[in-house]
Amino acid sequence: MGEFVVRGRRRLTGTVRVNGAKNAALPIMAATVLASRPVLLHDVPDLRDIRVMSQVLQALGAEVERRGSDIFVDPRTINNYVVPAELMQEMRASIFLLGPLLARLGAAEATQPGGCAIGQRPIDLHLYALEQLGARICDEDGRTVLRADGLHGNEVHFPFPSVGATENVLMAAAMAEGETRIRNAAMEPEIVDLAQFLEKLGATVRGAGTPDIRVTGNPHLGATEHTIIGDRIEAATFILAVAATGGDIVVQNCMVDHLPGLWTRLKELGVMIEELDAETVRVVSEGVFKPCPVSIATAPYPGFATDLQPQFMSFLLQVPGVHLITERVFENRLGHTIELRRLGAQIVADQRVALIYGGHPLHGTVVTAPDLRAGAALVNAALIAEGETVIRGREVIERGYENLDYRLRSLGADIVAR
C-alpha cells in the first residue's frame, strides 16, 4: 500500500491548474460507444478510473489511445456487449456503459459495480430509467442482462436526482426513437458537459442543468472533438487547502459558477476570493480565523457537494467554534472522522451528523484513507498539522487526483509519495 508523507505548517503560494473532471470524463468516454466515427477527447486526467474505462472500451472492441492529455477512441469495431466482471468490480463508473451499449447493440450485460464504500449506491434507478425506454431486464447467474429491440422515447421521472442514472438515460435517449423527457434530473455541471458532447455527436438536448431535460434521439450519431470541463472538486480541494494553511494561490481552469455556496462561506470567514475571470480565481488566506460557528448540509447540486464535505470538515478544524455537518446524500460518508481524530481533531459523529470543535491543534501521526474524498481531507488536515503525518492508501486518493504530491510541492507543501 502506497503512502503520502506530509510535514505540515507550510504556507502555500503559486499557481495551480485544475485538471479535467474525472466525473465528466468517465460518462463521456462511455458515450463514445454511441459515435459512428472516431472521437477525440481533450484534457482527460490520467487516473486509474480513466485507465480502467479505457480497458473496458477496449474489451468491448474499441480502439483507445492516450495521446498526452488527450484520449482517442475509435468505436467502429465495438461488437461485444458484456462488460468484463473484473473491470466492473474495479470501478463503479463502468455502469455507464449499460445505456450506450443497449442503444447501439440492443443488449448490455454487467455485474454490480464496485467503487468507494461510502454508502448504498444501488443501480435500481439506472435500470428503471432504461426500462422506460424499452429495455427488458433479467438476472442470469448473478449478472444483469438488458435487451431491447429498439429504444423509444418516453417520460422518465426520478424519485431522486441521481447523477449516474440521469447520465445513463441521457446517453440511451440520444439514439432512441422520438423524444425522452427526464423529470427531476440531476443538475450537476458534469451532466451539462455530457449533454454538450451528445449534441456535438448529433443528438438534440434541451434543459441540461435543470430538473427537466428533453432529448430527441438520432440513430446516426457522428464524431466530434470535445474538451472536458475542469474538475470542480479538485479545484475546491486546493482552495480549501490554502484557506486552512494560509497562503496566496491562483487556481486556473476553475469554473467559478460550478462551486455555488463555497465562495460565500469562505468569504464570511475572512478568506479573500478574487475572480480574475470566469475560469481563474485567486485565493488569499491568513490561515487564522475568528470564532464563528458554521453549519452545512450536503445536497444534490446546486447544494453543497457531498464530495466536498470531507475536505470542508478538515478546513473547519482551523476555525474556532462548534460546527455542524449533516451528510444527506450517503449514509456512510463520515468515516474520515475516525482518522481525523487520530490527528487530534475534536469531532463527535455518527453516520449522518458530525459536530466539529474547531481551533484545536493537530499533530502528525499515521492515518489511512477510507475512500477517495476522505483521503483528500486527510492530506489537507496533514498540511495544517504539526510534525509528520503518514497517510496510507495513496492509491485510493490517486483515483481522483493526478500527481497530487508534485502539484502541492509546487505550491510549497512538504509532501512526498512513497
Side-chain angles (χ1 to χ4, degrees):
M1 181 182 292
E3 301 172 335
F4 284 122
V5 180
V6 182
R7 295 174 181 84
R9 311 302 298 172
R10 302 246 179 170
R11 188 174 174 86
L12 303 183
T13 59
T15 299
V16 63
R17 184 185 183 278
V18 173
N19 289 325
K22 179 194 78 164
N23 290 339
L26 288 170
I28 288 174
M29 288 178 69
T32 63
V33 168
L34 301 169
S36 61
R37 298 192 305 278
V39 170
L40 185 61
L41 303 177
H42 302 293
D43 207 7
V44 183
D46 187 10
L47 303 168
R48 191 190 77 182
D49 284 6
I50 297 294
R51 294 191 288 272
V52 172
M53 181 62 83
S54 297
Q55 293 171 22
V56 172
L57 290 172
Q58 289 169 332
L60 298 175
E63 177 188 345
V64 183
E65 180 185 350
R66 177 170 278 280
R67 303 170 177 175
S69 62
D70 298 341
I71 286 185
F72 169 87
V73 181
D74 186 345
R76 290 176 293 183
T77 51
I78 289 178
N79 56 8
N80 178 18
Y81 61 81
V82 179
V83 180
E86 63 276 12
L87 296 178
M88 197 82 178
Q89 290 303 310
E90 286 193 42
M91 180 189 63
R92 180 174 176 81
S94 45
I95 200 70
F96 292 136
L97 273 302
L98 293 182
L101 286 172
L102 193 64
R104 174 167 172 167
L105 300 179
E109 182 176 325
T111 58
Q112 181 73 18
C116 284
I118 56 177
Q120 292 297 315
R121 295 190 288 174
I123 64 171
D124 301 30
L125 290 182
H126 297 253
L127 302 181
Y128 155 77
L130 296 173
E131 276 188 307
Q132 306 314 299
L133 301 188
R136 303 185 304 276
I137 302 170
C138 65
D139 290 326
E140 296 180 3
D141 298 324
R143 296 181 66 83
T144 300
V145 181
L146 295 82
R147 300 188 188 281
D149 298 324
L151 298 180
H152 304 276
N154 198 357
E155 181 165 309
V156 178
H157 195 149
F158 286 120
F160 177 83
S162 163
V163 176
T166 298
E167 290 169 333
N168 226 333
V169 72
L170 188 58
M171 289 184 277
M175 285 188 73
E177 179 182 345
E179 182 181 89
T180 298
R181 185 176 186 181
I182 308 172
R183 307 288 297 273
N184 199 24
M187 297 186 288
E188 275 73 2
E190 294 79 13
I191 300 283
V192 177
D193 204 29
L194 174 61
Q196 291 175 345
F197 174 77
L198 293 173
E199 286 206 289
K200 290 178 181 179
L201 290 183
T204 300
V205 184
R206 291 174 293 160
T210 77
D212 192 347
I213 303 177
R214 295 175 185 261
V215 186
T216 302
N218 180 351
H220 306 293
L221 299 178
T224 190
E225 292 188 32
H226 183 78
T227 300
I228 305 297
I229 60 172
D231 192 322
R232 61 195 173 101
I233 305 302
E234 180 180 271
T237 301
F238 282 111
I239 289 164
L240 289 169
V242 73
T245 61
D248 184 345
I249 69 168
V250 173
V251 185
Q252 300 173 335
N253 198 31
C254 169
M255 304 294 288
V256 175
D257 293 341
H258 289 180
L259 291 167
L262 180 63
W263 309 117
T264 300
R265 285 181 169 85
L266 291 178
K267 288 176 181 178
E268 288 173 348
L269 292 169
V271 179
M272 190 197 84
I273 308 293
E274 181 182 1
E275 297 178 17
L276 302 182
D277 58 46
E279 297 185 9
T280 310
V281 63
R282 182 187 176 199
V283 183
V284 182
S285 171
E286 295 300 320
V288 179
F289 306 94
K290 296 180 180 178
C292 180
V294 177
S295 176
I296 66 162
T298 64
Y301 192 88
F304 197 92
T306 181
D307 277 358
L308 277 186
Q309 176 261 112
Q311 301 93 307
F312 196 75
M313 183 182 292
S314 289
F315 163 69
L316 288 179
L317 295 174
Q318 282 290 89
V319 182
V322 181
H323 315 299
L324 175 67
I325 290 181
T326 305
E327 174 55 58
R328 293 179 176 169
V329 178
F330 293 117
E331 70 274 17
N332 292 328
R333 194 149 211 181
L334 293 176
H336 50 282
T337 58
I338 297 172
E339 301 300 315
L340 288 173
R341 284 200 291 264
R342 298 185 200 281
L343 290 163
Q346 298 189 19
I347 303 172
V348 179
D350 62 14
Q351 288 184 325
R352 293 281 191 176
V353 178
L355 281 175
I356 300 99
Y357 297 84
H360 299 281
L362 302 183
H363 304 280
T365 187
V366 178
V367 294
T368 302
D371 63 72
L372 166 58
R373 303 306 175 185
L378 292 176
V379 171
N380 279 6
L383 291 172
I384 60 178
E386 292 282 356
E388 180 179 283
T389 301
V390 177
I391 304 162
R392 294 173 175 167
R394 192 188 81 217
E395 298 84 355
V396 175
I397 301 170
E398 290 177 338
R399 286 186 51 228
Y401 298 89
E402 181 182 350
N403 296 326
L404 180 61
D405 56 323
Y406 171 81
R407 297 162 77 198
L408 283 172
R409 279 199 305 274
S410 73
L411 299 175
D414 187 345
I415 176 173
V416 294
R418 66 184 188 192

PDB file of all heavy atoms in Angstrom, residues 122-136:
ATOM      1  N   PRO A 122     -27.238   1.674  -5.101  1.00  0.00           N
ATOM      2  CA  PRO A 122     -27.772   0.640  -5.977  1.00  0.00           C
ATOM      3  C   PRO A 122     -27.997   1.173  -7.386  1.00  0.00           C
ATOM      4  O   PRO A 122     -28.075   2.386  -7.612  1.00  0.00           O
ATOM      5  CB  PRO A 122     -29.100   0.273  -5.309  1.00  0.00           C
ATOM      6  CG  PRO A 122     -29.486   1.497  -4.538  1.00  0.00           C
ATOM      7  CD  PRO A 122     -28.196   2.103  -4.074  1.00  0.00           C
ATOM      8  N   ILE A 123     -28.106   0.246  -8.332  1.00  0.00           N
ATOM      9  CA  ILE A 123     -28.301   0.649  -9.735  1.00  0.00           C
ATOM     10  C   ILE A 123     -29.773   0.593 -10.126  1.00  0.00           C
ATOM     11  O   ILE A 123     -30.106   0.659 -11.310  1.00  0.00           O
ATOM     12  CB  ILE A 123     -27.453  -0.229 -10.680  1.00  0.00           C
ATOM     13  CG1 ILE A 123     -27.918  -1.694 -10.629  1.00  0.00           C
ATOM     14  CG2 ILE A 123     -25.972  -0.107 -10.322  1.00  0.00           C
ATOM     15  CD1 ILE A 123     -27.259  -2.562 -11.686  1.00  0.00           C
ATOM     16  N   ASP A 124     -30.677   0.509  -9.142  1.00  0.00           N
ATOM     17  CA  ASP A 124     -32.106   0.390  -9.434  1.00  0.00           C
ATOM     18  C   ASP A 124     -32.615   1.519 -10.325  1.00  0.00           C
ATOM     19  O   ASP A 124     -33.405   1.288 -11.249  1.00  0.00           O
ATOM     20  CB  ASP A 124     -32.913   0.388  -8.133  1.00  0.00           C
ATOM     21  CG  ASP A 124     -32.533  -0.741  -7.200  1.00  0.00           C
ATOM     22  OD1 ASP A 124     -31.361  -1.156  -7.228  1.00  0.00           O
ATOM     23  OD2 ASP A 124     -33.394  -1.197  -6.427  1.00  0.00           O
ATOM     24  N   LEU A 125     -32.191   2.757 -10.037  1.00  0.00           N
ATOM     25  CA  LEU A 125     -32.681   3.888 -10.823  1.00  0.00           C
ATOM     26  C   LEU A 125     -32.182   3.817 -12.265  1.00  0.00           C
ATOM     27  O   LEU A 125     -32.893   4.214 -13.191  1.00  0.00           O
ATOM     28  CB  LEU A 125     -32.266   5.209 -10.177  1.00  0.00           C
ATOM     29  CG  LEU A 125     -32.962   5.566  -8.856  1.00  0.00           C
ATOM     30  CD1 LEU A 125     -32.491   6.924  -8.366  1.00  0.00           C
ATOM     31  CD2 LEU A 125     -34.470   5.559  -9.016  1.00  0.00           C
ATOM     32  N   HIS A 126     -30.945   3.313 -12.459  1.00  0.00           N
ATOM     33  CA  HIS A 126     -30.437   3.131 -13.824  1.00  0.00           C
ATOM     34  C   HIS A 126     -31.338   2.168 -14.589  1.00  0.00           C
ATOM     35  O   HIS A 126     -31.744   2.437 -15.731  1.00  0.00           O
ATOM     36  CB  HIS A 126     -29.013   2.560 -13.784  1.00  0.00           C
ATOM     37  CG  HIS A 126     -27.999   3.440 -13.142  1.00  0.00           C
ATOM     38  ND1 HIS A 126     -27.033   4.120 -13.865  1.00  0.00           N
ATOM     39  CD2 HIS A 126     -27.774   3.747 -11.839  1.00  0.00           C
ATOM     40  CE1 HIS A 126     -26.264   4.804 -13.030  1.00  0.00           C
ATOM     41  NE2 HIS A 126     -26.686   4.581 -11.804  1.00  0.00           N
ATOM     42  N   LEU A 127     -31.646   1.037 -13.953  1.00  0.00           N
ATOM     43  CA  LEU A 127     -32.452   0.004 -14.618  1.00  0.00           C
ATOM     44  C   LEU A 127     -33.880   0.490 -14.849  1.00  0.00           C
ATOM     45  O   LEU A 127     -34.466   0.254 -15.920  1.00  0.00           O
ATOM     46  CB  LEU A 127     -32.444  -1.270 -13.783  1.00  0.00           C
ATOM     47  CG  LEU A 127     -31.060  -1.878 -13.506  1.00  0.00           C
ATOM     48  CD1 LEU A 127     -31.187  -3.151 -12.691  1.00  0.00           C
ATOM     49  CD2 LEU A 127     -30.305  -2.148 -14.805  1.00  0.00           C
ATOM     50  N   TYR A 128     -34.444   1.169 -13.856  1.00  0.00           N
ATOM     51  CA  TYR A 128     -35.789   1.726 -14.006  1.00  0.00           C
ATOM     52  C   TYR A 128     -35.869   2.658 -15.215  1.00  0.00           C
ATOM     53  O   TYR A 128     -36.798   2.577 -16.039  1.00  0.00           O
ATOM     54  CB  TYR A 128     -36.184   2.476 -12.730  1.00  0.00           C
ATOM     55  CG  TYR A 128     -37.212   3.557 -12.945  1.00  0.00           C
ATOM     56  CD1 TYR A 128     -38.550   3.249 -13.122  1.00  0.00           C
ATOM     57  CD2 TYR A 128     -36.823   4.903 -12.999  1.00  0.00           C
ATOM     58  CE1 TYR A 128     -39.496   4.249 -13.341  1.00  0.00           C
ATOM     59  CE2 TYR A 128     -37.752   5.905 -13.210  1.00  0.00           C
ATOM     60  CZ  TYR A 128     -39.089   5.580 -13.378  1.00  0.00           C
ATOM     61  OH  TYR A 128     -40.007   6.562 -13.609  1.00  0.00           O
ATOM     62  N   ALA A 129     -34.873   3.548 -15.330  1.00  0.00           N
ATOM     63  CA  ALA A 129     -34.889   4.525 -16.417  1.00  0.00           C
ATOM     64  C   ALA A 129     -34.781   3.843 -17.778  1.00  0.00           C
ATOM     65  O   ALA A 129     -35.493   4.200 -18.731  1.00  0.00           O
ATOM     66  CB  ALA A 129     -33.748   5.521 -16.234  1.00  0.00           C
ATOM     67  N   LEU A 130     -33.893   2.856 -17.880  1.00  0.00           N
ATOM     68  CA  LEU A 130     -33.723   2.166 -19.159  1.00  0.00           C
ATOM     69  C   LEU A 130     -34.945   1.329 -19.505  1.00  0.00           C
ATOM     70  O   LEU A 130     -35.292   1.171 -20.691  1.00  0.00           O
ATOM     71  CB  LEU A 130     -32.465   1.303 -19.115  1.00  0.00           C
ATOM     72  CG  LEU A 130     -31.154   2.105 -18.957  1.00  0.00           C
ATOM     73  CD1 LEU A 130     -29.967   1.168 -18.760  1.00  0.00           C
ATOM     74  CD2 LEU A 130     -30.923   3.018 -20.165  1.00  0.00           C
ATOM     75  N   GLU A 131     -35.644   0.809 -18.495  1.00  0.00           N
ATOM     76  CA  GLU A 131     -36.898   0.088 -18.744  1.00  0.00           C
ATOM     77  C   GLU A 131     -37.934   1.005 -19.379  1.00  0.00           C
ATOM     78  O   GLU A 131     -38.712   0.569 -20.244  1.00  0.00           O
ATOM     79  CB  GLU A 131     -37.452  -0.478 -17.438  1.00  0.00           C
ATOM     80  CG  GLU A 131     -36.875  -1.808 -17.022  1.00  0.00           C
ATOM     81  CD  GLU A 131     -37.608  -2.390 -15.838  1.00  0.00           C
ATOM     82  OE1 GLU A 131     -37.742  -1.686 -14.809  1.00  0.00           O
ATOM     83  OE2 GLU A 131     -38.041  -3.549 -15.932  1.00  0.00           O
ATOM     84  N   GLN A 132     -37.958   2.256 -18.949  1.00  0.00           N
ATOM     85  CA  GLN A 132     -38.939   3.197 -19.508  1.00  0.00           C
ATOM     86  C   GLN A 132     -38.713   3.436 -20.994  1.00  0.00           C
ATOM     87  O   GLN A 132     -39.628   3.808 -21.725  1.00  0.00           O
ATOM     88  CB  GLN A 132     -38.890   4.531 -18.755  1.00  0.00           C
ATOM     89  CG  GLN A 132     -39.047   4.439 -17.251  1.00  0.00           C
ATOM     90  CD  GLN A 132     -40.168   3.537 -16.831  1.00  0.00           C
ATOM     91  OE1 GLN A 132     -41.335   3.769 -17.166  1.00  0.00           O
ATOM     92  NE2 GLN A 132     -39.840   2.484 -16.097  1.00  0.00           N
ATOM     93  N   LEU A 133     -37.478   3.204 -21.442  1.00  0.00           N
ATOM     94  CA  LEU A 133     -37.160   3.393 -22.865  1.00  0.00           C
ATOM     95  C   LEU A 133     -37.315   2.102 -23.675  1.00  0.00           C
ATOM     96  O   LEU A 133     -37.079   2.108 -24.880  1.00  0.00           O
ATOM     97  CB  LEU A 133     -35.729   3.928 -23.023  1.00  0.00           C
ATOM     98  CG  LEU A 133     -35.405   5.262 -22.338  1.00  0.00           C
ATOM     99  CD1 LEU A 133     -34.021   5.745 -22.756  1.00  0.00           C
ATOM    100  CD2 LEU A 133     -36.447   6.319 -22.640  1.00  0.00           C
ATOM    101  N   GLY A 134     -37.682   1.016 -22.995  1.00  0.00           N
ATOM    102  CA  GLY A 134     -37.936  -0.220 -23.725  1.00  0.00           C
ATOM    103  C   GLY A 134     -37.025  -1.378 -23.404  1.00  0.00           C
ATOM    104  O   GLY A 134     -37.114  -2.438 -24.051  1.00  0.00           O
ATOM    105  N   ALA A 135     -36.160  -1.249 -22.410  1.00  0.00           N
ATOM    106  CA  ALA A 135     -35.256  -2.344 -22.065  1.00  0.00           C
ATOM    107  C   ALA A 135     -36.003  -3.456 -21.333  1.00  0.00           C
ATOM    108  O   ALA A 135     -36.896  -3.195 -20.527  1.00  0.00           O
ATOM    109  CB  ALA A 135     -34.115  -1.832 -21.198  1.00  0.00           C
ATOM    110  N   ARG A 136     -35.618  -4.681 -21.624  1.00  0.00           N
ATOM    111  CA  ARG A 136     -36.078  -5.848 -20.873  1.00  0.00           C
ATOM    112  C   ARG A 136     -34.919  -6.313 -20.005  1.00  0.00           C
ATOM    113  O   ARG A 136     -33.803  -6.505 -20.509  1.00  0.00           O
ATOM    114  CB  ARG A 136     -36.527  -6.972 -21.817  1.00  0.00           C
ATOM    115  CG  ARG A 136     -37.628  -6.551 -22.783  1.00  0.00           C
ATOM    116  CD  ARG A 136     -38.110  -7.729 -23.609  1.00  0.00           C
ATOM    117  NE  ARG A 136     -37.023  -8.384 -24.339  1.00  0.00           N
ATOM    118  CZ  ARG A 136     -36.558  -7.983 -25.514  1.00  0.00           C
ATOM    119  NH1 ARG A 136     -37.066  -6.908 -26.099  1.00  0.00           N
ATOM    120  NH2 ARG A 136     -35.580  -8.653 -26.113  1.00  0.00           N
TER     121      ARG A 136
END
